[in-house]
Amino acid sequence: MNAALGIAGVTIGLGAALLGVISVLAGLRQKRPRFIAAGARYSVIGLAGTVLAFAGMERALITRDFRLAYVQKVGGRATPPLFNFASLWSSLEGSILLWTLVLALYVALVVRKFRRRLDDPLMGWALIVMFTISAFFNALMLGPANPFRIAATVAADGPGPNPLLQNHVLMLFHPPILYLGLVGFSVPFAFATAALITGRLGEGWLVETRRWTLFAWGFLTIGIVLGAWWSYEVTGWGGYWSWDPVENAVFLPWLTGTAYIHSVMVQERRGMLRVWNLSLLCATFSLTILETFLTRSGVLDSVHSFSESDIGPWLLSFFGLVVAVTIALIGWRGDRLRSPGTIDSPVSREAAFLVNNLLFAAFAFVVLLGTVFPLVVEAVRGDRLSVGRPFFDRMTTPIGLALLTMMAIAPVLPWRKASGELLRARLLWPAWMGVGALVFAAAVGARGFTPLVAFGLGGFAGGAALRQVVLASRRQGWRGFVGRANGGMIVHLGVVIVAVAVAASQSYAKVAEVKLKPNESAIVHGHTITYLGMETVQESNRITQKARVRVDGDGVYAPALQSYDRGDVVATPSVRVGLKGDVYLSLDQPPATSGGAVGLKVVSEPLAMWLWVGGGIMAGGTALAAFPGRRRRPTDPVSAPLPVDRELVAVDG
């Protein structure tokens, strides 16, 4: 029954997507709005079908239906209920099902939002693009990524998901939120493609998709931060970002999406950077498909990647098709993409945003090169190369520092041109904050050129953002925190906090390994570590050995080794969180005998907690930026916005 429900749901989803494409395309060609409206209604049918498939898989996991090969792979009778539910997206086929569900939800929401303007050609072509993407992912589930395939033999039990995916509650939230971000970029991409097809290349489509883009970027940001937090509290190596290829694959669309969010303001205000904006948005969506390929094709060796399958050529072909079509469309419309304005002065906000684009593009190129180049070499020559953290740190650090500098300068620059006196006046307070941050860091013992520069530039950029928020609050009261410009400054403050925390934790982290007998203490990095003894806990699917450790006499922590029924042994750290820094404890070696010595790894992580605080501030700033602030009407000399509901053409000042 579960397999039948699932196949029926996927078939409905595929059929609805294909019929939606046919109906909307026929309506556009024959100029019959009722055909477009009928096609739009297929979005609800497609969503219902995908929900049915999702429910069928969850029912199979909950009832332990081991007739399904996927349940045999990721299900287990001893798996706790929460992780049994989350095991749906713990492997290849289920992750594609979750991806398709999120996409179907976005398509239905877009139809609901623009239900009164379905007769507009721009909306029609956007629907065709989204239905096409949905059809592709549904086709994957009827082909190489079928989650409802019946196994050749029925097993009595399964191993459960990967142990690393069933020992932290973030497994329940991190992947869905990440998918809300990655899949969410399908909406602005669809409207951008529709603008290229229809020739509506002004600012109307930008305004319509602004909030969709912001929320997609916000979800992706939260997903990346939660992923770093999950890594910090689960993997036991003492860090949160290792430049893992799959981490990089998710980071790439974040970089280009961030550049787009900044660059699009220049087009709305001055009608400039149109080619940049279309290219960045198409690159962002293309990189989400590349991320899907890298994660799910088996070409990478990573704790995050899924097992090898036949899905790789499908995803790579779709990625190539998306890139080829978007490049062709941009080239086709090249003459109409010429900007009506020019940059009047290198000392202006639009010039700063152009530099910002170049820096983000360089950052993305470095990450893409370090991630993909080893795969190309292996495919061509058969040699396996490893591009590790030293390469990424060396190449991205200067770009990151330059971006911090631009974060300080760009917000205070006016449009068109700035005088020297104006620039000095607006940068005076942020500059003093940067100097103060540098002096304070040196006074408390910070050393090293790169981290000190990061602290100084962090203070400089933070001062610029804080200055803008304070001035806006004085003028507008509580509304000084609302709107794209003001909410964006809150996001900048979060980015600065994250940057400073990364600089501190990576530059000044200290690692030590100690062996202690029961009730024996040691001084490690200025902290008193006391080993109290071992505790063994038998759970439904594992045996946990906990080392009870007191830190500085004020709390007992329990780093552990977890031995799963499937044979895996996973080290689970325990962290004492503090404003100044964390004490990270990992159990490396349990005692050989009762009362014997235990091996502990102790990591001092300065300011690590502020990574998660900064991520939360970025999320809050994104939500504030999505609400309207002061309004103005943009000038769109090339195309009119959608014809109904003129209120939607208003944007933040």
Side-chain angles (χ1 to χ4, degrees), residues 167-514:
N167 64 349
H168 200 288
V169 72
L170 282 179
M171 178 57 189
L172 197 63
F173 303 103
H174 163 54
I177 291 175
L178 196 66
Y179 284 19
L180 283 170
L182 290 169
V183 182
F185 280 108
S186 303
V187 176
F189 168 76
F191 276 88
T193 305
L196 286 167
I197 293 172
T198 60
R200 300 265 294 275
L201 300 171
E203 286 61 68
W205 70 272
L206 295 174
V207 176
E208 300 299 337
T209 59
R210 183 175 73 82
R211 287 191 180 90
W212 298 93
T213 306
L214 276 176
F215 281 121
W217 183 88
F219 282 125
L220 183 57
T221 301
I222 297 170
I224 291 173
V225 172
L226 290 180
W229 192 6
W230 173 86
S231 179
Y232 185 65
E233 295 203 344
V234 167
T235 53
W237 63 281
Y240 45 83
W241 189 267
S242 60
W243 295 108
D244 177 280
V246 177
E247 291 175 343
N248 296 347
V250 175
F251 190 42
L252 282 167
W254 186 89
L255 289 170
T256 54
T258 304
Y260 169 74
I261 286 175
H262 288 83
S263 181
V264 74
M265 291 189 285
V266 180
Q267 183 175 345
E268 291 184 2
R269 184 68 178 252
R270 299 287 314 277
M272 299 166 55
L273 303 185
R274 288 176 176 171
V275 175
W276 264 107
N277 292 328
L278 286 167
S279 300
L280 286 170
L281 191 49
C282 293
T284 300
F285 176 74
S286 300
L287 288 170
T288 65
I289 303 301
L290 181 64
E291 185 274 341
T292 310
F293 164 73
L294 293 174
T295 308
R296 293 159 181 83
S297 64
V299 300
L300 295 175
D301 292 327
S302 165
V303 67
H304 301 86
S305 62
F306 299 120
S307 59
E308 188 172 355
S309 70
D310 298 329
I311 200 175
W314 289 63
L315 290 169
L316 194 59
S317 299
F318 188 61
F319 168 76
L321 178 64
V322 170
V323 172
V325 169
T326 52
I327 290 176
L329 287 173
I330 292 173
W332 177 43
R333 295 296 189 183
D335 290 340
R336 301 191 64 181
L337 289 172
R338 293 176 180 173
S339 300
T342 59
I343 295 178
D344 300 328
S345 169
V347 187
S348 61
R349 185 171 296 189
E350 48 267 51
F353 281 139
L354 179 58
V355 174
N356 187 75
N357 283 355
L358 293 171
L359 290 173
F360 272 112
F363 205 132
F365 175 76
V366 168
V367 177
L368 182 64
L369 179 66
T371 304
V372 175
F373 181 71
L375 302 178
V376 176
V377 171
E378 182 178 357
V380 174
R381 297 173 50 186
D383 299 330
R384 302 208 65 167
L385 297 180
S386 178
V387 177
R389 182 170 177 171
F391 167 81
F392 290 106
D393 286 347
R394 188 181 309 116
M395 297 298 293
T396 61
T397 296
I399 303 174
L401 295 176
L403 284 169
L404 273 178
T405 304
M406 294 308 302
M407 284 177 58
I409 297 174
V412 306
L413 289 173
W415 297 100
R416 297 186 182 275
K417 187 177 181 180
S419 64
E421 293 81 0
L422 177 67
L423 196 58
R424 283 193 295 272
R426 291 185 175 182
L427 287 177
L428 181 61
W429 181 23
W432 277 113
M433 289 194 68
V435 172
L438 180 61
V439 171
F440 177 78
V444 297
R447 296 293 182 269
F449 176 77
T450 299
L452 285 174
V453 171
F455 296 151
L457 290 177
F460 189 24
L466 191 60
R467 174 186 178 276
Q468 295 297 102
V469 172
V470 170
L471 291 177
S473 299
R474 286 179 178 177
R475 291 193 302 265
Q476 306 172 43
W478 65 270
R479 292 189 67 86
F481 296 95
V482 180
R484 178 168 51 179
N486 302 330
M489 291 301 100
I490 302 296
V491 174
H492 276 203
L493 287 173
V495 172
V496 168
I497 291 173
V498 170
V500 170
V502 168
S505 60
Q506 292 192 356
S507 300
Y508 306 120
K510 298 177 181 178
V511 183
E513 295 181 357
V514 295

Side-chain angles (χ1 to χ4, degrees), residues 508-522:
Y508 306 120
K510 298 177 181 178
V511 183
E513 295 181 357
V514 295
K515 283 193 173 182
L516 298 173
K517 294 181 179 180
N519 298 315
E520 186 178 4
S521 298

